[in-house]
Amino acid sequence: MFTGSELRKKFLDFFDQQGHLILPSASLIPQDDPTLLLTVAGMVPFKPYFQGKARPPHTRLATVQKCLRTPDLDSVGKTTRHHTFFEMLGNFSFGDYFKKEAIAWAWEYLTNVLGLPREDLWITVYREDKEAKQIWAKGMGVPGERIVPMGEDDNFWAAGPTGPCGPCSEILVDLGPARGCGAPDCGVDCDCDRFLEIWNLVFMEFNRDEAGNLTKLPRQNIDTGMGLERIASVIQGASSNFETDLLFPLIKKAAALSGLSYGENQKHDVALKVIADHSRAVAFLVADGVLPSNEGRGYILRRILRRAVRYGRLLGIEEPFLSKITASVIDLYEDPYRELREEEEYIQKVVALEEARFGETLEQGLQVLQDDLEELERKGERRLPGRVAFRLYDTFGFPLELTQEILAERGLTVDLAGFEEAMQEQRERARAARLEAAPTSRQGIWDTYRDFKTDFQGYGSLTAKAQIQALVCDEAEQQEAREGGQVQVLLDLTPFYPEGGGQVGDRGILKGPDGEVVIQDTKKVEENLIIHQGYVSRGLVRKGDVVLAQVNEKRRLATARNHTATHLLHQALRSVLGEHAQQTGSLVEPTRLRFDFSHFAPLSQDELRAVEDLVNQKIIENIAVRTCETGREEALAEGVIALFGEKYGDIVRVVGIGDFSKEFCGGTHVRRTSELGFFKILTESGIGTGIRRIEALTGEGLLAYWREQDALIGKAVAFLKATPEALPGRIEQLLREVREKEKELEQLRQKMMRFEVDALLNHVVDVDGIKVLAVKVQAPDMESLRSLGDLLKHRIGSGVIILGSPLNGKVGFVSFVTNDLVTREGLHAGNIIREVARIVNGGGGGKPEMAQAGGKNPTRLDEALRQGKEIIRHQLTGKC
């Protein structure tokens, strides 16, 4: 019996002996492939080779590739084979060997290396692929009855409706009648567990055109895939993939944390399998740089992680636990995947933070959902409104699929159309906000110039003689524009940099023979169409005039300083925090820079200082900043950073700062880093889940900031009558005095509250033999309201307290039930306060002994308190 690690090694060693180049697994994030969010198969990293877009490093390759799929997420844990994360063993040929060799090596590996009995192996082939069938029968000696022809749906692979495609041949192992369904016609096409597919050999030999015609490819390719978990289950004699050494240690860890045993309860076993599978997927996703978010691959991570957390709750695990399971994942997989151990601290922080965030809203969200489900059941309905599901998603972070799962357990469904409608409304609101903040720069009037190409000369010069090709003012194209008129100018060439890549557009002046135009902004309308926006400051300008275009040099240089600083900052963040810190956005202006990047938590002061120091060190080193144009694939192969989501052509511009930083960039930069002067981080903040923002200064902007700070210190010195060195001590002294005064005020407030308690106790009434105090009070905040209720609880002895107070145009409630009434009468403060709050259009809840709530309608506060007594009476009589 071989372990999972031994199976990986044996596979790669075998194909190394067959002349294959062994490559490490690629990332779960596909490189330069916008069609896929994640690597879903072993061939994904090699798509450019199969498509002929790039040349492979060798005509024969073999890998063990990390993969992740979620279409069958609901089946994970319920079947023996479904996973999110899995490892795919694969050997590939690019115009080298073909069917004969691929089949022979697969047969040799399974029967000779792994020792699988030949009589247990079955083969499927495409029904029209006579060649493959003959190789299996005559070349490998497989009996004809164990070679099963199948149709196109099962045994013909295609990347899409057109393009490379070809037949495939699957190898299956017969696990025996005991694993089957018992039907007399049970065979390789049966859905039971008896016949397990372990290897798929794809023979890419055709090209399919738009008419559906197949023609032979000039170069025939091989793509194979064998799931490590599946072959491990066969070799190790496990009844499922989950009981192999690749997953069972994680199940045992989850079982230990829950205090349960695997194999005693089917429902518990499903939960344990889900946690094991999902924790593995989470660890690998985070290690490859994915952070939880509400879109894209980040949403997939969040969905998987939160699903695991909920299954943990179903097992009774109330404390955060997932980081403990991912620690076991790292221990189990660190040998083949070193990135797990290298990123261990990062993985654990991301997992712990996301679990904590979800934990904060999970119980509250579940309670809201429970209330909605009770309402559905009262109405006799079976479908949750889409807007309710969207509120759970938007407010409490419940992925739609999680809500669907919870409902399915009760035989209910979600109104998906309603959910999508609410989601679309949110998208429209966001889009409207974006349009309001940044109106579109493309105007229909420029459509006729769509094919025009402005010759940009701004990298090498800040002045140029150019000819006016078009003038637009008053929303129409004109032959001339006079003094005072707002104008848009199209030139045949320009030194003005147009807004793009986070960098603002240039400003400056156009000097013509009879007038001048002050340029206030420069933008792109189309990819190569640059428009200069401004006003005629003197005389007039005409279409066809030759003008001297002059960029504001001081402003351009200040902008370039900040742009170069973003490159230094990007690499400094990656050096200090890890390579997961990737740029997600930026704003480069003359006076400041803003830089957005992916990271899971706020930066500590030590981290911020380390980043700032590293940038300044590179400034002091006076490194040359160089640019060049090169092929995109060549640059990527050399490790040049490309920003995710950006579109690049085949030829790209690379900005390099020595050996420290190399990025794709079309912006303007300084010649040497010393031109930045110094670099100072002003703020670091979060702008979304997993996205941080740094604002910083360089050059003259930083000098102005230092002068402002110096002036502020001067004012503080004058106001506090202290030297700059003595300011911290003087401020500390004043704060100490303030705290002492606040303490005295709090003592006075407590004394006054005790007098108020005595007065309020006069309002206690009897409700079916229970003392009830339901009164309106004046409290500045919820904390004061809770403190007052706590005092009353201790004074009332045995009873129920409901306090309500107006708070900033709304209503706050607290409810207390003494322990004896919780035990003896079954009264529940959370249930009481929830019903009370509904009267004022609010909600809330809590524990049996104490709960709080809020409401939106203070005009019904007195009514709510009166009804509170009736609600208590109903609870006592079992009517509510």
Side-chain angles (χ1 to χ4, degrees):
M1 182 180 79
F2 300 124
T3 65
S5 294
E6 289 169 338
L7 288 170
R8 284 191 205 95
K9 187 175 186 305
K10 284 185 175 295
F11 179 84
L12 296 177
D13 287 348
F14 176 81
F15 281 98
D16 179 46
Q17 294 167 9
Q18 316 311 323
H20 288 65
L21 174 65
I22 307 303
L23 294 181
S25 172
S27 169
L28 285 172
I29 302 176
Q31 179 68 40
D32 201 28
D33 187 349
T35 66
L36 290 172
L37 282 176
L38 295 165
T39 300
V40 296
M43 59 80 65
V44 167
F46 307 136
K47 279 176 64 177
Y49 307 150
F50 284 122
Q51 294 168 343
K53 295 180 179 179
R55 184 183 296 241
H58 197 280
T59 56
R60 299 181 181 187
L61 300 176
T63 61
V64 178
Q65 174 62 45
K66 301 179 291 187
C67 302
L68 198 141
R69 300 177 188 171
T70 56
D72 298 317
L73 188 64
D74 292 342
S75 299
V76 173
K78 299 174 184 176
T79 71
T80 59
R81 311 295 171 204
H82 284 100
H83 300 293
T84 51
F85 175 89
F86 59 96
E87 295 176 82
M88 187 66 77
L89 312 174
N91 58 288
F92 308 88
S93 169
F94 307 98
D96 192 324
Y97 62 83
F98 201 48
K99 293 180 187 179
K100 181 180 178 181
E101 294 87 349
I103 290 173
W105 287 332
W107 188 253
E108 181 183 353
Y109 179 73
L110 291 176
T111 59
N112 292 351
V113 178
L114 298 188
L116 293 181
R118 296 169 181 249
E119 61 272 16
D120 290 342
L121 297 178
W122 287 66
I123 310 299
T124 66
V125 294
Y126 180 48
R127 62 191 171 201
E128 296 181 18
D129 190 358
K130 309 301 182 185
E131 180 185 3
K133 184 176 182 181
Q134 187 176 35
I135 295 171
W136 281 116
K138 294 186 177 181
M140 304 302 110
V142 180
E145 65 271 15
R146 286 197 276 116
I147 304 174
V148 182
M150 304 284 276
E152 185 168 343
D153 290 343
D154 297 300
N155 277 67
F156 196 91
W157 182 91
T162 62
C165 57
C168 59
S169 181
E170 297 174 345
I171 307 172
L172 302 94
V173 60
D174 183 357
L175 298 175
R179 299 284 290 275
C181 58
D185 59 346
C186 181
V188 295
D189 58 347
C190 185
D191 290 333
C192 72
D193 288 335
R194 176 173 177 175
F195 293 91
L196 176 66
E197 177 201 336
I198 54 175
W199 207 338
N200 189 16
L201 314 178
V202 178
F203 312 125
M204 275 188 266
E205 58 180 316
F206 298 111
N207 184 72
R208 177 179 279 153
D209 62 23
E210 293 183 356
N213 300 315
L214 297 177
T215 56
K216 283 277 188 178
L217 288 169
R219 292 199 320 161
Q220 297 169 328
N221 302 320
I222 289 291
D223 163 24
T224 83
M226 175 166 54
L228 177 61
E229 291 79 5
R230 288 197 177 197
I231 191 63
S233 71
V234 174
I235 296 300
Q236 296 174 16
S239 60
S240 79
N241 295 2
F242 291 93
E243 290 160 20
T244 67
D245 66 339
L246 296 168
L247 278 161
F248 198 62
L250 306 179
I251 290 176
K252 289 198 293 186
K253 180 67 174 180
L257 291 173
S258 66
L260 300 171
S261 297
Y262 180 77
E264 295 181 353
N265 179 292
Q266 185 178 2
K267 187 176 180 181
H268 292 166
D269 287 353
V270 168
L272 291 169
K273 291 176 184 177
V274 168
I275 293 170
D277 173 274
H278 288 12
S279 61
R280 190 171 65 156
V282 165
F284 276 94
L285 280 169
V286 176
D288 278 353
V290 181
L291 284 169
S293 70
N294 280 338
E295 58 184 21
R297 58 178 65 94
Y299 179 72
I300 292 173
L301 170 58
R302 169 163 287 169
R303 178 183 170 193
I304 292 172
L305 190 152
R306 294 188 169 190
R307 193 171 187 262
V309 171
R310 178 177 174 266
Y311 271 95
R313 295 292 188 275
L314 293 178
L315 292 178
I317 308 175
E318 296 298 329
E319 298 299 320
F321 71 95
L322 202 57
S323 63
K324 297 175 183 177
I325 311 289
T326 51
S328 296
V329 174
I330 295 169
D331 292 339
L332 192 60
Y333 283 88
E334 67 172 315
D335 184 29
Y337 301 107
R338 294 180 181 177
E339 65 269 22
L340 291 173
R341 184 63 71 190
E342 291 169 356
E343 300 292 341
E344 179 178 15
E345 182 180 359
Y346 170 65
I347 294 168
Q348 298 300 70
K349 283 183 178 179
V350 171
V351 172
L353 185 62
E354 179 66 12
E355 183 173 9
R357 283 174 174 159
F358 188 43
E360 291 170 2
T361 59
L362 178 60
E363 295 303 325
Q364 191 177 0
L366 287 173
Q367 184 59 60
V368 170
L369 179 58
Q370 179 62 32
D371 293 344
D372 290 322
L373 294 181
E374 290 175 0
E375 184 68 21
L376 276 184
E377 291 173 355
R378 279 196 292 270
K379 294 179 178 178
E381 298 178 359
R382 309 296 298 171
R383 189 168 69 165
L384 185 75
R387 292 188 178 276
V388 175
F390 180 76
R391 181 161 62 96
L392 288 167
Y393 163 81
D394 195 40
T395 305
F396 300 105
F398 274 45
L400 173 63
E401 296 80 6
L402 177 56
T403 301
Q404 289 177 300
E405 261 188 46
I406 296 171
L407 291 173
E409 291 169 3
R410 303 176 67 151
L412 305 175
T413 61
V414 177
D415 171 20
L416 295 178
F419 178 89
E420 184 54 39
E421 182 181 352
M423 178 71 83
Q424 187 60 35
E425 288 176 3
Q426 186 189 60
R427 292 192 190 107
E428 291 298 327
R429 288 193 296 269
R431 179 175 178 272
R434 287 195 301 271
L435 288 175
E436 183 178 347
T440 179
S441 62
R442 189 182 190 285
Q443 302 177 23
I445 199 166
W446 293 110
D447 282 352
T448 55
Y449 291 89
R450 183 177 297 175
D451 296 328
F452 184 88
K453 181 177 180 179
T454 307
D455 181 10
F456 175 65
Q457 299 185 352
Y459 292 134
S461 175
L462 298 182
T463 63
K465 285 189 175 181
Q467 186 177 47
I468 296 177
Q469 304 296 303
L471 285 170
V472 170
C473 50
D474 297 328
E475 300 184 358
E477 189 171 356
Q478 307 288 352
Q479 291 299 309
E480 63 179 38
R482 295 185 175 273
E483 185 172 330
Q486 293 290 325
V487 64
Q488 294 179 319
V489 183
L490 174 64
L491 302 175
D492 59 341
L493 58 87
T494 182
F496 284 76
Y497 180 85
E499 178 183 332
Q503 180 175 329
V504 296
D506 277 337
R507 295 179 184 177
I509 194 167
L510 303 180
K511 293 183 178 180
D514 298 308
E516 293 182 355
V517 179
V518 173
I519 301 303
Q520 298 169 304
D521 202 358
T522 310
K523 294 181 179 294
K524 283 184 180 180
V525 175
E526 296 289 346
E527 181 60 31
N528 296 306
L529 190 65
I530 299 174
I531 303 301
H532 308 75
Q533 300 177 347
Y535 64 92
V536 181
S537 60
R538 179 181 63 81
L540 64 87
V541 291
R542 305 177 186 84
K543 181 178 179 179
D545 279 354
V546 174
V547 298
L548 179 64
Q550 294 180 318
V551 174
N552 183 320
E553 183 176 357
K554 183 177 180 181
R555 185 175 184 274
R556 162 72 84 85
L557 179 56
T559 304
R561 287 192 189 102
N562 285 332
H563 202 151
T564 302
T566 64
H567 285 228
L568 292 172
L569 174 59
H570 190 188
Q571 187 55 49
L573 287 165
R574 291 165 65 86
S575 298
V576 173
L577 303 177
E579 293 191 359
H580 66 274
Q582 299 179 12
Q583 179 177 346
T584 60
S586 67
L587 174 65
V588 180
E589 295 181 329
T591 57
R592 65 178 181 131
L593 67 93
R594 189 178 74 204
F595 189 83
D596 301 338
F597 60 100
S598 54
H599 190 56
F600 55 87
L603 273 66
S604 68
Q605 285 301 312
D606 287 344
E607 289 171 330
L608 284 171
R609 182 168 297 174
V611 169
E612 192 175 82
D613 287 349
L614 184 52
V615 173
N616 281 310
Q617 179 61 40
K618 297 305 172 183
I619 292 172
I620 293 169
E621 289 176 10
N622 191 26
I623 304 170
V625 180
R626 304 190 187 281
T627 62
C628 68
E629 290 190 347
T630 185
R632 179 185 59 179
E633 296 302 325
E634 180 183 348
L636 289 171
E638 293 177 358
V640 179
I641 294 176
L643 302 186
F644 179 75
E646 291 289 331
K647 294 180 179 179
Y648 300 103
D650 292 334
I651 302 298
V652 295
R653 184 171 183 261
V654 175
V655 175
I657 305 175
D659 295 328
F660 184 66
S661 167
K662 289 184 180 179
E663 295 189 26
F664 290 2
C665 181
T668 65
H669 292 270
V670 298
R671 290 165 297 181
R672 304 191 74 88
T673 57
S674 60
E675 295 179 45
L676 273 63
F678 276 99
F679 171 84
K680 172 67 178 173
I681 294 175
L682 297 184
T683 63
E684 189 273 340
S685 60
I687 60 169
T689 303
I691 304 296
R692 310 297 300 175
R693 170 172 289 173
I694 280 178
E695 298 198 35
L697 300 174
T698 67
E700 293 179 351
L702 179 52
L703 180 61
Y705 169 78
W706 277 334
R707 285 174 175 164
E708 288 175 5
Q709 296 301 302
D710 192 52
L712 288 173
I713 292 173
K715 289 181 181 179
V717 164
F719 186 74
L720 296 176
K721 295 181 174 59
T723 64
E725 296 78 11
L727 279 177
R730 179 69 178 129
I731 293 171
E732 185 178 354
Q733 177 190 351
L734 290 172
L735 289 174
R736 188 164 53 248
E737 292 173 2
V738 168
R739 285 194 292 268
E740 290 173 356
K741 296 299 182 185
E742 288 176 343
K743 186 177 180 180
E744 292 175 9
L745 286 172
E746 178 61 22
Q747 290 172 347
L748 289 172
R749 194 176 67 83
Q750 291 293 331
K751 288 180 181 179
M752 293 178 64
M753 192 178 291
R754 283 194 287 272
F755 286 117
E756 186 178 1
V757 165
D758 291 336
L760 289 173
L761 288 173
N762 293 326
H763 296 279
V764 172
V765 298
D766 183 284
V767 176
D768 292 348
I770 301 296
K771 287 191 288 186
V772 175
L773 176 62
V775 292
K776 176 181 176 180
V777 298
Q778 297 296 325
D781 50 43
M782 287 299 295
E783 183 178 355
S784 300
L785 195 61
R786 287 192 299 270
S787 297
L788 179 58
D790 199 44
L791 285 173
L792 287 164
K793 179 182 177 182
H794 286 92
R795 290 286 301 278
I796 202 170
S798 174
V800 180
I801 298 162
I802 305 174
L803 302 181
S805 175
L807 293 173
N808 300 319
K810 297 182 181 180
V811 181
F813 288 108
V814 293
S815 177
F816 291 83
V817 177
T818 55
N819 293 339
D820 62 315
L821 298 181
V822 171
T823 303
R824 189 179 73 240
E825 303 293 345
L827 291 175
H828 192 292
N831 294 339
I832 293 171
I833 208 68
R834 189 180 302 113
E835 296 297 324
V836 170
R838 282 178 178 169
I839 298 170
V840 291
N841 302 329
K847 299 178 180 179
E849 300 83 5
M850 185 272 175
Q852 65 183 51
K856 301 176 182 177
N857 188 358
T859 61
R860 301 186 67 186
L861 173 56
D862 292 332
E863 178 188 350
L865 291 168
R866 286 195 301 272
Q867 287 295 321
K869 300 167 187 175
E870 294 304 313
I871 291 167
I872 294 168
R873 180 175 285 112
H874 290 165
Q875 280 202 15
L876 288 168
T877 57
K879 296 178 181 178
C880 181

